[in-house]
Amino acid sequence: MAATDFLETAQGRRLAYHKSEGAGPTIVFLGGLKSDMEGTKAVHLEAWSKARGQAFLRFDYSGHGESSEAFTDGCIGDWHEDTLAAVGALTEGPLVVVGSSMGGWQALLLAKALPERIVGMVTIAAAPDFTEDGYWASFSDAQKAALEEVGHVELPSDYMEPYIITKRMIEDGRQRLVLRDALDLPFPVRFLQGTADTAVSTETAVRLLEHATGPDMRLLLVKDADHRFSDGPCLGLIENAVLDVLGDG
C-alpha cells in the first residue's frame, strides 16, 4: 500500500492524501462526514482510475482519518477550505468531482468556488445543507437549548458512534447553504441516491435536482440501496456515472 502524503494548509492544518498520476481530467473524491479516504468507494475509485490511467486524488478533511485536528473543532467551512487547499496544491487542469454524502455538499461548494475547473460531477447520497435542514430542523427545544448552553448535542448514528454536533457547525453551515440561492452546474452532473437511505432522503435528492440549473443533469434512484452505496452493483453505477460525465459512457 502506498504511503500517505501530507499537505500543510494556509490555515495550519495537516491534510493526509493519496494522489495517483495519470491523464486528465483528475478525479477528486470528497468523502462524507466522519468518513475517511480509506472508505470502500474512495479506494475502489482510486484502483479503477489507476487501471484507466486516470489521475486521482483522495484526502482526509481536517478532523478526519489521518489528518490533523479534532472532528469536534471542524465545520463545513473548514472542510471547504481543506478541499480548496488540496485541489489547489495537488491538482492541475480540469476536474471530475465525486462527492459522497457531506462530500456532495462540498462538491457543490467547490463548483461555486471553481466553476471554471470542473468538467463533470457525480454525487452519491448528496447531503447539501444538512446542518440546517437535517440537524437544526429536527432539534427539539431541549437540544437547541443544549446547543446554546453546552455548545454541542450528541446524535445517534446508524453507521458509527454518536455524532457530536457543535454550535459552530450549525452556525457555520448557515453561511454555506447551497439550496437557497442560485446553484448553476454548467457541466454534466449525475446524482445517485438509494431509496433505502436512512441518512439522506430521496426528497433531498429530488430537491437538489429541481433547484440546481445546468445543461446535463440526471438523478438515478436505486431501489433498496442504502447510504453506504458501496456494494458491487452500486460501485459499478458510480463507475458508469463517472464515465458518463467524462463522455466515455
Side-chain angles (χ1 to χ4, degrees):
M1 182 178 293
T4 301
D5 291 312
F6 291 89
L7 170 70
E8 299 285 343
T9 76
Q11 295 80 22
R13 301 191 283 266
R14 189 168 185 255
L15 305 182
Y17 72 91
H18 285 270
K19 177 186 175 186
S20 48
E21 302 295 340
T26 301
I27 298 172
V28 179
F29 185 84
L30 302 176
L33 188 72
K34 293 198 79 175
S35 184
D36 60 49
M37 64 175 173
E38 298 302 325
T40 302
K41 293 184 290 290
V43 172
H44 177 86
L45 269 181
E46 179 184 65
W48 180 80
S49 298
K50 283 182 176 179
R52 283 176 48 82
Q54 191 113 27
F56 184 87
L57 173 67
R58 57 186 169 104
F59 67 95
D60 287 331
Y61 311 111
S62 53
H64 292 69
E66 298 177 71
S67 291
S68 71
E69 317 307 320
F71 170 78
T72 49
D73 291 336
C75 61
I76 302 299
D78 290 352
W79 303 324
H80 176 52
E81 289 175 349
D82 295 344
T83 301
L84 288 172
V87 166
L90 303 173
T91 71
E92 295 179 355
L95 307 171
V96 168
V97 184
V98 181
S100 175
S101 193
M102 190 270 284
W105 189 357
Q106 292 294 340
L108 298 169
L109 289 171
L110 186 63
K112 290 171 77 77
L114 299 174
E116 70 284 354
R117 290 197 58 192
I118 299 177
V119 296
M121 179 182 292
V122 176
T123 69
I124 305 145
D129 300 6
F130 72 85
T131 54
E132 191 71 11
D133 299 333
Y135 292 158
W136 181 256
S138 66
F139 282 173
S140 64
D141 289 344
Q143 287 174 312
K144 290 178 179 179
L147 205 66
E148 287 297 325
E149 295 162 11
V150 185
H152 69 267
V153 296
E154 290 191 15
L155 297 181
S157 166
D158 290 344
Y159 299 97
M160 57 190 78
E161 72 273 7
Y163 287 136
I164 305 296
I165 305 304
T166 64
K167 180 180 178 182
R168 179 171 182 251
M169 184 185 289
I170 297 294
E171 292 182 340
D172 173 84
R174 289 192 181 123
Q175 308 305 312
R176 311 288 174 176
L177 303 176
V178 294
L179 296 178
R180 272 73 175 168
D181 301 313
L183 179 61
D184 187 37
L185 304 176
F187 39 74
V189 184
R190 301 294 177 262
F191 303 121
L192 307 179
Q193 175 72 40
T195 65
D197 190 331
T198 59
V200 176
S201 68
T202 54
E203 288 79 9
T204 299
V206 171
R207 182 183 177 200
L208 173 56
L209 177 73
E210 292 180 338
H211 177 76
T213 56
D216 182 6
M217 200 176 305
R218 300 176 202 169
L219 167 62
L220 177 64
L221 295 178
V222 183
K223 187 169 177 62
D224 296 332
D226 65 13
H227 191 63
R228 296 180 191 276
F229 211 88
S230 58
D231 63 12
C234 285
L235 293 173
L237 291 172
I238 297 170
E239 292 174 11
N240 291 341
V242 173
L243 288 174
D244 208 10
V245 299
L246 283 168
D248 295 344

